[in-house]
Amino acid sequence: MSPSKRRRDAAITAWVYPTIACVGFLLLWQLVVVVTQLKRFVLPQPLQVLERGFVSLDLLLANTPPTVLAIALGFGGAVAVGVPLAVLMVASRALESSVYPLLVGSQGVPKVALAPVLVVWFGFGVLPKVIMAMLIAFFPIVINTAVGLRSIDPNYLHLARSMGAPAWRTYTRLLLPSALPQIFAGLKVAMALAIVGAIVGEMVGANSGLGYLLVVANGNMDMALVFAVLVWLVLVSLVLVGFIDLTERLAIPWSRNTRSRNLVQVQG
Amino acid sequence: MGMIRIDNLSKTFTTGDGVIPALENIQLAIEEGEFVSIVGPSGCGKSTLMMCVAGLLEASAGSVTVGTTRVSGPFTQVGIVFQEALLLDWRTVLGNVLFQIEMRGLDPKAYESRARELLDRVGLGGFERKYPWELSGGMRQRVAICRALIHDPPLLLMDEPFGALDTLTRDQMNVDLLRLCAETGKTALFITHSIAEAVFLSDRVIVMTPRPGRVIADLPIAFADPRRLSLRATPQFAEQESRIYSIFRSIGVLRDE
């Protein structure tokens, strides 16, 4: 395959396929509305959603910063607590056996159910949303980091011991870097979940933010605006998860994950 | 009085199926500057023996002494090469060699010129800035050998270092390793399952029995240095090999029909 043809193929996969998929989805949506003759306040047409979104663009823009702030702080908090906790769990068997059951057990609690409690405790400000986002994003970070740290070939650790390295140096120079690919996989899941957490937090009790806007629009039976907010949220998520993706490619170009990106796809 | 003294060493592993003896009453002395290979069928505990010498496994009975130090806990005056190169993908070739230095808390800057010189000696001059995934298997193992030598340890431990390489690469690595050991005067303990490799490289070949591993023969290999690959085509070389084969035949590791 010639380089120019390969570039053209890459451009097709990068732009043409996603566009076809999106347009196809929108046409299907339009078709469903037309065939079933659903009212605008039940399911608006894609064009109506687009129009409503444009009209209320300032509303969307004004309510985005509080939500993104809650997501960023919640996600950051989950990383700041999750990664060190995973390291401690891997380093200490006592800590692992005491924390791990709690951690797994806590996943049985639907965290959405905690949202009203957080409002009671912390009010209508940004804090309960941050905590909500953090609670949801926390688990995949801890699990992925712990798995990443443990998946190293034991002979690397034998080597480190024969070099007389203290434990902290083995962690900072060997274990943590080698776990980065798995940590990043966890971060991507965590980011997607942090978005859900922040929105749920805002839906339960807030006076600004995209989740708050959703509730207000829903209360007004303004389905076009509800869907406009949802589409907007999709765009925000793409940017946030894309940011992690970009950081990953810059931070760990050596990762097999990064290098095999183009090779694992089935030809054709 | 040897550089390494292994005294009545035994090692057992406790598993779910009970106690498995891996090594039994190993008695062995290795002189300074000697290149000693250990050959034996797979599972005979030769890797376990190396791990005990390195202090990475605790002996169940007996002792290992290196120089004047009785080994208890990881022994650090050593360079180790495993079958896998075990390089760090996020470090360049140079960074991988200096990893040894950084992990010891020494100043990598002070060792950089030595690292470059070592890489040069194993034919990797000009590859300092490459990353491990850009190298062939043989080149990766050369980097691992440089990493094992950068801090100038008196002792080199190698566990089937060339076992994953193709025959041609392996032959070249054998020649290069011999030269490197002769130049640096290291004491080397080399684990292999290749009889030809053991005979070609070693001053002495230790033959081990299947599990539980015991030393069944200790054969001096007296070929003149420097040894060249053509040595392997000589009748003397074939004779040494067949001595070892006949030992394996006598203990039932090899059967002719």
Side-chain angles (χ1 to χ4, degrees), chain B residues 100-167:
Chain B
Q100 174 89 256
I101 299 304
E102 286 177 41
M103 290 296 268
R104 289 170 184 273
L106 303 171
D107 177 20
K109 284 227 163 45
Y111 284 82
E112 197 180 311
S113 64
R114 179 173 154 77
R116 286 178 188 279
E117 189 219 336
L118 268 173
L119 286 167
D120 221 31
R121 286 231 301 258
V122 299
L124 285 177
F127 285 87
E128 293 89 349
R129 306 212 145 274
K130 295 276 185 214
Y131 283 87
W133 73 81
E134 300 174 290
L135 307 181
S136 69
M139 291 161 100
R140 293 164 63 93
Q141 205 57 285
R142 287 167 197 270
V143 177
I145 290 172
C146 290
R147 181 182 59 195
L149 291 172
I150 179 74
H151 55 304
D152 203 17
L155 178 62
L156 196 55
L157 299 178
M158 290 168 281
D159 187 3
E160 301 196 27
F162 310 140
L165 303 180
D166 63 274
T167 321

Side-chain angles (χ1 to χ4, degrees), chain A residues 156 163 169 173 254 259, chain B residues 87 90 100 102-103 105 133:
Chain A
Y156 276 104
M163 295 172 180
R169 206 179 278 147
R173 298 202 183 219
W254 49 268
R259 283 185 284 133
Chain B
L87 302 182
W90 57 92
Q100 174 89 256
E102 286 177 41
M103 290 296 268
W133 73 81

